[in-house]
Amino acid sequence: MKEIMLQVKPVAGEIQTNFDEIERQLAEEARQYDGIVFTEDTRVEAKKTVADLRKLKKSIDDSRKEVKAQWMEPYNRFEARVKQMTAIVDKPINYINGQVEAFEARRLEERQAEIQQIYNEEIGELGEFLPLYRIQSDKWQNASTSSKAIRKEMSAVISNARAGKAAIEAMQSDAVPDALRKFQSCLSLPDALNYITTYEAQKAEVLRREEERRRLEEERKHQAEIERIRAEERRRVAEEEQIRREVEESVKAEVKSVDEASAAPLTAPESHTAVYTVVGTDEELQELEMAMISLGLYFERKDI
């Protein structure tokens, strides 16, 4: 393409004005209003003063706008011509670039088909577990990346995924399905194994707490049963004590009756008083006393 050079020689201009003189006049005019106080009687004069000052300000600013419009006129004409020329250049740019983009689109389509072919040859049984979009790298689309490099990198990723999947499936844990899904999304075996480790630790803690709860519940039930048995034993002993007392009272009554009968001039069997020393457990002594009561024998117990 023939070199085309736009030559531009802007001529520096100058705006002539009496800034210094006007600034002095404005400063003198403004000083006369320093600390000025208007009253209700001079309100109309105050409004007129403000209007005059605003009119002065507008005339100064109008000068700026007029000068700017004159100053920008040559630039505006220059800018319009430049836009016309760039529009002429844009036409071949757009035409050629459309073809370049079409070439690139076809190249990307062919490269993607090549990547898909390599994937189909390498993926094996992991197709459902590891779809292409999960492992494809953006750099594989670059023209500078060779097919050999793509195959090598893809093969390494698939091999690591296969080994990681097998390692996770070999774990004896209920968390394996979730760990596989996590591994499938991030392809990080340490993260997946850490997930299983955390799950098992939490599970063990739950089981420990449940076992502790069952142990405490069994202990509570056992203690309650002991208390029930103790209460039943106390009730039985109290009933037996009550029976013993009733029998003693009955025996005493019978003995009294016998004594009274002995005082009467009647012939009665001769009674004897004997002392026995008996050694036995509380249960055995209770059985002995019950036997003597059943025989109608009067006795007194003195523990030694």
Side-chain angles (χ1 to χ4, degrees):
M1 177 180 178
K2 183 178 180 181
E3 183 179 1
I4 299 176
M5 179 69 68
L6 175 63
Q7 296 180 354
V8 180
K9 294 181 180 180
V11 179
E14 181 180 358
I15 301 175
Q16 297 180 354
T17 181
N18 60 340
F19 273 149
D20 295 338
E21 180 182 353
I22 294 298
E23 284 181 352
R24 285 194 300 270
Q25 292 178 0
L26 289 176
E28 292 175 0
E29 183 71 18
R31 275 197 297 272
Q32 66 177 312
Y33 298 110
D34 289 345
I36 190 171
V37 177
F38 290 94
T39 64
E40 183 65 26
D41 296 336
T42 59
R43 178 171 57 85
V44 175
E45 182 181 352
K47 293 176 63 176
K48 181 178 184 303
T49 301
V50 170
D52 291 343
L53 292 173
R54 285 176 175 168
K55 183 177 179 181
L56 174 60
K57 175 184 175 181
K58 182 178 183 301
S59 66
I60 296 173
D61 197 50
D62 287 345
S63 299
R64 175 189 64 79
K65 294 178 181 178
E66 181 180 354
V67 171
K68 180 180 179 180
Q70 295 176 4
W71 190 268
M72 293 297 294
E73 179 61 26
Y75 172 79
N76 291 336
R77 291 196 303 269
F78 170 77
E79 182 181 40
R81 293 295 301 275
V82 168
K83 289 182 178 180
Q84 290 178 3
M85 289 184 290
T86 56
I88 295 173
V89 179
D90 280 340
K91 184 175 181 180
I93 287 177
N94 295 334
Y95 176 72
I96 298 171
N97 191 56
Q99 297 181 54
V100 172
E101 290 178 350
F103 297 151
E104 181 63 12
R106 282 196 299 271
R107 187 193 70 79
L108 292 175
E109 184 178 348
E110 292 171 357
R111 172 51 65 92
Q112 187 60 40
E114 183 180 11
I115 294 171
Q116 183 67 51
Q117 180 62 31
I118 296 173
Y119 171 81
N120 294 340
E121 295 170 359
E122 297 288 337
I123 194 60
E125 80 286 358
L126 293 183
E128 185 175 352
F129 179 80
L130 193 65
L132 175 58
Y133 74 88
R134 289 193 180 277
I135 62 174
Q136 181 164 344
S137 172
D138 291 340
K139 67 180 181 180
W140 293 354
Q141 293 283 4
N142 296 338
S144 59
T145 304
S146 67
S147 300
K148 182 179 179 180
I150 295 173
R151 183 180 294 274
K152 181 180 179 181
E153 185 174 343
M154 186 187 298
S155 178
V157 173
I158 293 174
S159 296
N160 291 336
R162 183 177 287 110
K165 182 174 181 291
I168 295 170
E169 290 174 339
M171 301 289 289
Q172 300 298 320
S173 173
D174 297 335
V176 165
D178 289 337
L180 282 174
R181 282 190 287 271
K182 184 175 184 62
F183 179 67
Q184 184 183 26
S185 64
C186 66
L187 294 181
S188 174
L189 182 58
D191 288 350
L193 295 180
N194 183 63
Y195 177 85
I196 294 177
T197 301
T198 302
Y199 171 85
E200 290 298 325
Q202 293 174 346
K203 178 181 176 182
E205 178 63 16
V206 170
L207 292 176
R208 186 193 65 78
R209 291 180 181 178
E210 179 62 20
E211 182 62 27
E212 179 67 12
R213 185 194 66 78
R214 285 199 298 266
R215 186 188 66 79
L216 293 176
E217 180 64 17
E218 290 297 326
E219 184 176 324
R220 185 191 65 78
K221 291 180 179 179
H222 179 68
Q223 190 63 32
E225 181 64 15
I226 292 175
E227 292 298 327
R228 186 193 67 78
I229 293 174
R230 287 176 177 173
E232 181 66 22
E233 182 65 17
R234 289 193 293 269
R235 184 190 63 76
R236 185 186 65 78
V237 171
E239 290 178 353
E240 290 179 353
E241 181 65 21
Q242 178 66 25
I243 293 172
R244 189 184 68 79
R245 287 196 297 268
E246 291 176 354
V247 170
E248 287 181 355
E249 293 296 329
S250 176
V251 170
K252 290 180 180 180
E254 289 180 2
V255 170
K256 183 178 180 182
S257 176
V258 170
D259 291 343
E260 291 176 350
S262 297
L266 295 174
T267 303
E270 185 179 359
S271 297
H272 299 277
T273 300
V275 177
Y276 297 90
T277 300
V278 181
V279 179
T281 64
D282 288 341
E283 289 77 7
E284 292 171 340
L285 293 176
Q286 289 179 4
E287 292 180 2
L288 176 60
E289 292 175 356
M290 293 297 292
M292 289 190 292
I293 292 171
S294 65
L295 292 173
L297 298 178
Y298 172 73
F299 65 89
E300 290 183 359
R301 176 175 173 175
K302 293 182 179 181
D303 294 323
I304 59 175

